[in-house]
Amino acid sequence: MAKTPQKPLKAETRLIVAGRDPQSQFGFVNPPVYHASTVLYPTAEDQVAHRSRYQYGRRGTPTTEALEAALCDMEGANCAGAVLVPSGLAAISTALMAVAGSGDHILITDSVYRPTRNFCEGVFKRMGVEATYYDPLIGADIGRLFKPNTKVVFVEAPGSQSFEMQDIPAIAKVAHDKGAVVLMDNTWATPLYFKAFDKGVDMSIQAGTKYIGGHSDIMFGCVTANARTFPALKETHGLMGLCVGPDDMFLALRGLRTMAVRLKQHQEAGLKVARWLAARPEVARVMHPALESDPGHTIWKRDFTGASGLFSLELKPMNEKAVYAFMNALQLFGMGFSWGGFESLVIIFDCNEYRTATKWAPSGPTLRFHIGLEDPDDLIADLDDGFKAMAGTL
Ligand SMILES: *Cc1c(COP(=O)(O)O)cnc(C)c1O
């Protein structure tokens, strides 16, 4: 049902046309939202032979196919298919379950999204899958961590909360030489700013809850895969009974259409605010790979084509009271988890709660910001008010 024009188009244009075929649905611009479980067969013969374009709601509807097609299209030519799941974390667990099992060993970056680690230490450990965490800056040196049973290398760049960049092509080369597959959590850059399959990744994961949804109103996740890994992904996804509610698929598809323009704005405003923050006397350093001063900038420039609106900073040494005064004085920044919506957010975090392979030793408290679609000058003025409140406590 989903048909894409067969001519070269830029990514922004592809997002508009992918997964749509208006003439197959009475000319309506958007694919219909099928609320569905049972699919009826016209005859007993058809039912016995399972002869039908669709089998059952869980196995996919035209709405599912439209969203899968649009997501795969966003990845470029090397994408073999996509699966949809009810959250970003479900995308991570599904992708891992598709390629690792009892007796296998996997390598995971120490900068991974914390619930990914919790899945490995909980479900995977119980299943007999052993995880080793590695320094995100390891590069081609990752070869020394391989065991005969290493099946997977999991990368995430920039790192969750701490924003280390990883040399993904170098890591992927070693992994492939040793017969392992590379899984990536690509939620930060999205396929618009990092073409995972062109850089050696075999399965790419997005928390669609973030920039695909874009409005802080859905939980959604997806995994796209290349030809090498898609059959295993599709099989595991089907066996586990995963599917997404039709209205959330509709919102994800709607979010996709505006994702390129939203990301451009998140990037531009994010950099403006990050630069302003980097120049503040209260700030020790800003962790944002698109800043020239960032240690990961060279890799970012080589491999990525853009940045989103999420970054962190390290404050100079100060007590909690000063940080809380800053945060409590902000009126345009909500304090809450998740990100990728139209609104700005701030949280305080501490990587020491979970890191095991690397040392996290900031000089002062650390904050993570999501820069939303507000005018960045208003955000800067709000942050300035926060610093005034901070000064009042020092
Ligand atoms: C939020 C997030 C996830 C998980 O997404 P949910 O939809 O909240 O389950 C995974 N990876 C990264 C990097 C995230 O920020």
Side-chain angles (χ1 to χ4, degrees), residues 209-211 214-216 262 266 339-345 370-373:
T209 308
K210 312 288 167 55
Y211 285 123
H215 295 72
S216 305
R262 285 187 284 110
H266 285 296
W339 46 278
F342 51 75
E343 83 288 16
S344 289
L345 297 168
H370 178 251
I371 302 305
L373 302 177

Side-chain angles (χ1 to χ4, degrees), residues 85-92 111-116 154 156-161 185-188 205-210 218-221 310 337-339 368:
V85 290
S87 72
L89 183 55
I92 293 161
S111 55
V112 80
Y113 177 63
R114 187 179 186 176
T116 304
F154 195 101
E156 181 173 337
S160 244
Q161 303 196 309
D185 186 330
N186 195 21
T187 302
W188 182 83
I205 293 153
Q206 279 182 87
T209 308
K210 312 288 167 55
I218 58 167
M219 300 300 302
F220 171 65
L310 191 78
F337 293 102
S338 204
W339 46 278
R368 190 188 72 183

Side-chain angles (χ1 to χ4, degrees), residues 21 32 34-35 80 124 161 178 186 249 324 359 367 372 380:
D21 182 14
Y34 283 87
H35 287 85
F124 253 13
Q161 303 196 309
K178 295 190 180 277
N186 195 21
M249 289 195 278
Y324 296 166
K359 203 162 164 42
L367 298 174
I380 286 171

Side-chain angles (χ1 to χ4, degrees), residues 257-274:
R257 306 298 178 202
T258 58
M259 190 165 146
V261 283
R262 285 187 284 110
L263 271 183
K264 239 181 234 172
Q265 180 63 23
H266 285 296
Q267 165 167 239
E268 197 180 303
L271 271 167
K272 185 168 187 178
V273 174

